[in-house]
Amino acid sequence: MTDDLLSQLNPPQQRAVATLEGPVLVLAGPGSGKTRVLTHRIAYLITVAGIDPFHILAVTFTNKAAREMRERLATLLGEAVAADLTVGTFHAICARWLRRDIVHLGRERDFVIYDSDDQERLMKRVLRELNLNEKQNPPRAILSAISRAKNELISPEEFARAARSYFDEIVARCYARYQALLSESNALDFDDLLGETVRLLREHPTVRERYQERYQFLLVDEYQDTNRAQYLIVRALAERYRNLFVVGDEAQSIYAWRGADVRNILQFEHDYPDATVILLEQNYRSTQAILDVAQALISVSPQRKYDKRLWTTNGAGEPVILYEAFNDEDEVQFVIGEIMRLIASGKARPGDCAILYRTNAQSRLVEEALVQAHLPYQVVGGVRFYERKEVKDVLAYLRLAANPYDSVSLQRIINWPGRGIGERTVTELIVWARQLGVPLYQALSELASGVDNPFTARSRAALLAFHALIADLNQRRAALPLLELIDFALTAVGVKETLAQEYDTEEAEDRWRNVQELRNAALAYLHLPIENQLAAFLEDIALVADIDALDRNSDVVTCITLHQAKGLEFPNVFVLGIEEGLLPHSRSLSQRETLEEERRLLYVGMTRAQHRLYLCYAAQRALFGRLSESQRSRFLDVIPPHLLKRAGRRGYRATPSLQNSMFNSRSRPRSEPARQLSRPTTVTFFAGQRVRHATFGEGIVVSSRLIDDDEEVTVRFPDRERRLLASFARLERITDG
DNA sequence: CGGGCTGACATTTTT
DNA sequence: TGTCAGCCCG
């Protein structure tokens, strides 16, 4: 067994697996087998060092990774051993710990977890209460400021003290009220799961020691993407035994925008001077051609403390293709055509292909084209199942059954289905509850007991009926198995009838199917004790990520954002929209750090590819359904041309309109002149476009093709069709309006 | 109170 | 392109 575990590994991997004690930092380049190292190390700890799996904690970046790791270990060591390990994401692990120990912080263990939609609803309520305008104070912006504060463990009071700007003052007031309402609702948001855990470990030495004793061996994956709170959790746990094993790659740090701090990994050696540092540089995933391109891109990155040099024995492989498209439609058509070609020639199956993009919005066009081509596919992300309205509405009832103080859920369905409680009445209820200083649900209870209240008899009756419904659900929770509870709720609420009434037949059926799917998901929880079923169900739903649903076993094309693609690999990878403003994204251009993160994002995308990598960009792209010109990304300009094989509209460069060229020259910093490859300038036309010719007048473009470095455009003029060379004809585009 | 219409406006990435 | 807030009317 021991020999087995090490014999399949290269020397640095072996060191990483066999260095059992003390802090270890593994810098693992993409495709260098870090997952294998992690699982083998755990197996080694258990079988060779005789460590009880009970004492091992492994933190992964996604639930899916956790599940896969546990499965692999079950194969290596058996189900029973794997079951004793603690494996999960920071959020899932913290949620579990808090269920057990949050009482030490003076809170209830049946808390609900608020997702970003819940957070936004709560923040809107806060703004209304504080008489703040939603337009001037966007809830999302305020929430993101609060999230940043929470990641740094800054309390509302501290935030208020440090506030310097007007915006910070606003945020400070919102933060305080937001936190009060969360607590009143017996709810935690994502950041609280981490922050409250830090507080628990900090403020309660006996609890901290208990966890330190339990988790004597710690493993943390994707360490470059941990935030301050996660760093503190790890530090607190590792304090005693110092058996801390972290794996990461600074070049793949892509989550600074949500609080990840790359300094955590860069300063590991400072935090733990006795750390063993291991570099994994042999790549087992990609061809040399792919690595060369990726290396060219990342070598320009300024901050690289650990300069890994990836190498492989895989051979050169096929050249990386750069496709220059007329527009986004053309780009997608090329990708589909290429996938079909690969499949037809037996070089690939649909499941070997992945289409990567920067923003979810780009997936629409891709999806449409895949449908048209009859290619099977899956889109990761986009409209999430558990965020669909009908699903969240039903969930709101279940959440109230678990915790009636959940005010966001209560407000969500207090009038769904319509039961005569309008906006006016809801506002009145909120104001009244605040006067009484109690959560909304308790205000309803007060109402039932007949105290003085501001409601009309009609409103009061409606509110009481609603209160009775929730109280009933809440009572049945303890006695009913989850499935029966759900069925009871669906019937009592009249969900099916409500959907039938709200939507036309087809959509109502669609939505009802989604509700049924939610019900099916509950089947997995029936083996638990009845009193735990609902809580476990709700918690898992709150913490699932899109990527968790990714199915690598089905033979379908995967469409996915660059962020979600981290950690995955595919034989054939297509990266779309490598254009200024999209990748790098326009929101990242103003700061060096955010811009560099975009570079790493593309690096992550490129290094997902095993055999074939296609890089694509388009000269025109529909944005909000409006056509706009784009320029190839600066990231492409640092790749030596000989590493790329160009395809498509070769030599194309957009002829910017006057407005565009003004915009471009202004938006590009003077200190950084535009890097341009020397390419002939041509003009691009596409079918259907209206054009004007000095002699022939107005016409419509029928088709267009490239001849050498010029473009032949066929245009139908009033008299007849003519073929023109774009460089001579001086065709003028006619734009409507 | 509820339904329907319109116009404004927004999109980065996600546990 | 799609969503959502705000307005009007029954």
Side-chain angles (χ1 to χ4, degrees):
Chain A
M1 186 69 192
T2 311
D3 284 348
D4 267 12
L5 281 173
L6 293 179
S7 66
Q8 304 163 9
L9 305 172
N10 67 33
Q13 288 178 332
Q14 289 178 1
R15 264 180 80 212
V17 167
T19 307
L20 293 182
E21 306 220 319
V24 181
L25 168 62
V26 177
L27 295 144
S32 61
K34 66 168 182 155
T35 308
R36 167 169 251 187
V37 165
L38 279 165
T39 45
H40 281 240
R41 180 182 171 84
I42 295 173
Y44 198 84
L45 281 169
I46 295 168
T47 57
V48 177
I51 308 297
D52 188 335
F54 179 82
H55 288 307
I56 299 174
L57 170 68
V59 184
T60 58
F61 199 65
T62 62
N63 296 301
K64 179 171 166 281
R67 202 169 54 227
E68 285 169 0
M69 183 177 291
R70 203 188 283 281
E71 278 164 13
R72 279 200 201 102
L73 287 161
T75 317
L76 280 172
L77 309 173
E79 296 281 346
V81 175
D84 271 357
L85 286 164
T86 304
V87 186
T89 63
F90 273 107
H91 288 87
I93 289 168
C94 289
R96 201 185 313 163
W97 290 349
L98 290 172
R99 288 280 171 220
R100 186 191 163 107
D101 284 311
I102 201 169
V103 283
H104 294 288
L105 298 173
R107 300 204 39 173
E108 304 288 326
R109 53 188 305 176
D110 56 353
F111 61 84
V112 293
I113 299 166
Y114 277 180
D115 67 16
S116 36
D117 177 57
D118 302 321
Q119 289 179 281
E120 215 171 304
R121 284 166 181 266
L122 192 62
M123 185 51 68
K124 285 181 179 174
R125 176 173 161 199
V126 168
L127 290 173
R128 246 164 265 152
E129 282 189 24
L130 298 177
N131 273 322
L132 291 168
N133 184 320
E134 260 179 54
K135 289 268 148 64
Q136 282 157 19
N137 310 286
R140 281 156 181 271
I142 296 173
L143 282 167
S144 113
I146 292 175
S147 177
R148 252 173 285 139
K150 286 189 176 183
N151 283 164
E152 302 289 322
L153 297 153
I154 297 167
S155 69
E157 298 75 29
E158 288 165 332
F159 192 97
R161 247 177 280 134
R164 291 288 172 269
S165 66
Y166 175 72
F167 180 69
D168 279 354
E169 300 274 353
I170 299 280
V171 172
R173 289 168 61 204
C174 292
Y175 186 7
R177 184 62 188 149
Y178 171 77
Q179 214 52 29
L181 285 179
L182 270 184
S183 159
E184 184 182 286
S185 300
N186 193 13
L188 300 184
D189 65 20
F190 285 136
D191 299 316
D192 287 340
L193 291 174
L194 306 175
E196 293 298 273
T197 301
V198 173
R199 214 152 68 81
L200 181 69
L201 296 175
R202 260 192 191 166
E203 296 172 8
H204 297 273
T206 51
V207 176
R208 180 173 69 236
E209 279 160 29
R210 201 173 78 225
Y211 283 107
Q212 286 173 340
E213 284 300 327
R214 161 118 195 220
Y215 300 113
Q216 296 176 12
F217 291 85
L218 307 170
L219 300 93
V220 184
D221 193 10
E222 305 283 7
Y223 194 67
Q224 78 282 355
D225 282 325
T226 50
N227 63 27
R228 175 87 188 152
Q230 291 164 339
Y231 166 83
L232 291 170
I233 292 168
V234 170
R235 198 176 73 178
L237 291 175
E239 193 178 45
R240 194 177 184 95
Y241 287 97
R242 298 174 61 81
N243 296 320
L244 173 59
F245 182 88
V246 306
V247 188
D249 179 8
E250 55 181 318
Q252 295 184 68
S253 124
I254 55 172
Y255 282 100
W257 54 272
R258 72 172 206 214
D261 190 343
V262 74
R263 283 175 303 179
N264 290 346
I265 195 165
L266 296 180
Q267 294 180 5
F268 189 84
E269 287 180 90
H270 177 261
D271 292 337
Y272 304 93
D274 54 329
T276 306
V277 180
I278 298 167
L279 266 63
L280 300 184
E281 296 175 292
Q282 180 173 4
N283 176 292
Y284 296 95
R285 176 183 297 154
S286 310
T287 63
Q288 191 64 50
I290 292 166
L291 289 185
D292 286 345
V293 171
Q295 193 70 37
L297 173 72
I298 206 68
S299 63
V300 186
S301 181
Q303 278 212 340
R304 293 189 309 147
K305 179 174 173 188
Y306 303 100
D307 191 5
K308 295 176 297 303
R309 306 209 46 161
L310 296 178
W311 59 279
T312 184
T313 58
N314 286 347
E318 296 184 29
V320 174
I321 308 277
L322 175 67
Y323 183 75
E324 312 174 273
F326 276 145
N327 53 33
D328 45 5
E329 180 75 33
D330 176 21
E331 179 185 47
V332 165
Q333 286 309 325
F334 165 73
V335 171
I336 303 292
E338 200 60 18
I339 292 176
M340 306 251 277
R341 192 182 65 75
L342 289 172
I343 293 172
S345 62
K347 289 179 180 163
R349 308 180 52 83
D352 298 334
C353 303
I355 302 174
L356 276 50
Y357 37 77
R358 178 67 177 83
T359 67
N360 276 311
Q362 290 169 262
S363 70
R364 163 182 255 112
L365 212 55
V366 174
E367 196 174 350
E368 282 169 6
L370 285 161
V371 169
Q372 240 176 29
H374 300 294
L375 276 171
Y377 68 94
Q378 60 184 330
V379 180
V380 179
V383 192
R384 287 158 220 189
F385 176 73
Y386 291 112
E387 283 173 19
R388 288 179 193 168
K389 185 184 177 299
E390 63 278 13
V391 173
K392 281 217 81 167
D393 286 339
V394 171
L395 274 175
Y397 279 99
L398 299 178
R399 280 160 55 149
L400 285 170
N403 165 25
Y405 297 106
D406 173 353
S407 61
V408 169
S409 293
L410 189 138
Q411 230 182 302
R412 180 179 185 105
I413 45 92
I414 193 168
N415 201 37
W416 186 89
R419 48 173 75 87
I421 304 174
E423 201 186 307
R424 211 193 136 86
T425 307
V426 173
T427 308
E428 219 156 3
L429 176 68
I430 290 173
V431 170
W432 190 53
R434 196 167 182 198
Q435 277 168 8
L436 297 175
V438 300
L440 297 183
Y441 180 75
Q442 201 178 326
L444 291 176
S445 305
E446 300 287 340
L447 196 59
S449 70
V451 294
D452 264 4
N453 65 78
F455 301 102
T456 62
R458 202 157 108 185
S459 300
R460 183 169 175 274
L463 289 170
L464 287 180
F466 175 68
H467 175 258
L469 174 63
I470 300 305
D472 189 19
L473 279 175
N474 186 234
Q475 271 190 341
R476 286 175 195 262
R477 171 191 62 157
L480 285 184
L482 182 54
L483 210 53
E484 290 169 45
L485 182 72
I486 293 177
D487 286 337
F488 175 80
L490 293 179
T491 312
V493 173
V495 172
K496 194 176 181 182
E497 297 75 14
T498 308
L499 290 175
Q501 195 210 321
E502 283 180 350
Y503 305 99
D504 52 36
T505 321
E506 201 179 330
E507 192 175 354
E509 280 173 7
D510 234 34
R511 289 176 186 258
W512 178 244
R513 259 195 299 277
N514 289 335
V515 172
Q516 291 302 303
E517 209 176 311
L518 176 70
R519 183 182 178 276
N520 289 340
L523 293 173
Y525 297 82
L526 300 181
H527 67 280
L528 297 170
I530 287 180
E531 64 272 21
N532 295 343
Q533 289 176 4
L534 180 59
F537 179 57
L538 293 176
E539 179 162 315
D540 285 353
I541 286 173
L543 297 177
V544 287
D546 295 323
I547 190 69
D548 297 334
L550 177 72
D551 182 0
R552 282 313 302 274
N553 295 320
S554 62
D555 188 16
V556 303
V557 177
T558 299
C559 309
I560 191 169
T561 63
L562 288 161
H563 280 91
Q564 301 211 85
K566 189 171 78 161
L568 305 178
E569 60 183 16
F570 301 89
N572 308 294
V573 167
F574 299 81
V575 184
L576 305 191
I578 310 179
E579 296 148 30
E580 286 296 298
L582 199 54
L583 186 59
H585 195 273
S586 52
R587 305 277 285 245
S588 75
L589 298 177
S590 59
Q591 287 170 56
R592 183 85 213 191
E593 299 81 52
T594 51
L595 184 68
E596 285 307 317
E597 183 152 308
E598 299 285 305
R599 181 193 309 281
R600 295 190 295 267
L601 192 54
L602 179 55
Y603 175 72
V604 167
M606 289 175 169
T607 52
R608 301 308 96 199
Q610 294 173 295
H611 303 318
R612 294 181 195 85
L613 173 63
Y614 296 83
L615 307 173
C616 312
Y617 71 92
Q620 291 181 322
R621 179 172 300 278
L623 218 60
F624 304 127
R626 168 170 298 206
L627 215 59
S628 64
E629 307 270 326
S630 21
Q631 277 190 308
R632 53 184 268 151
S633 169
R634 66 190 76 189
F635 298 148
L636 292 175
D637 294 340
V638 302
I639 299 169
H642 72 271
L643 294 179
L644 300 170
K645 182 174 163 190
R646 298 164 78 112
R649 313 303 176 186
R650 202 171 168 283
Y652 168 79
R653 200 181 107 218
T655 306
S657 66
L658 186 60
Q659 273 193 336
N660 265 317
S661 58
M662 280 172 66
F663 172 78
N664 286 336
S665 62
R666 221 183 317 153
S667 65
R668 192 178 286 276
R670 273 160 205 273
S671 56
E672 196 184 54
R675 267 177 290 223
Q676 300 272 336
L677 296 181
S678 59
R679 278 174 287 143
T681 303
T682 61
V683 186
T684 299
F685 296 93
F686 53 88
Q689 199 175 23
R690 289 172 63 205
V691 292
R692 182 180 293 118
H693 185 273
T695 320
F696 306 125
E698 278 191 26
I700 306 263
V701 175
V702 176
S703 66
S704 165
R705 66 191 181 112
L706 287 165
I707 298 175
D708 295 329
D709 282 321
D710 208 335
E711 184 181 8
E712 182 194 78
V713 191
T714 308
V715 182
R716 189 169 55 240
F717 290 102
D719 54 345
R720 63 181 180 89
E721 275 188 14
R722 289 169 201 275
R723 284 190 202 170
L724 307 163
L725 277 181
S727 59
F728 292 104
R730 298 202 165 270
L731 286 169
E732 189 188 337
R733 285 179 219 172
I734 303 174
T735 47
D736 292 302

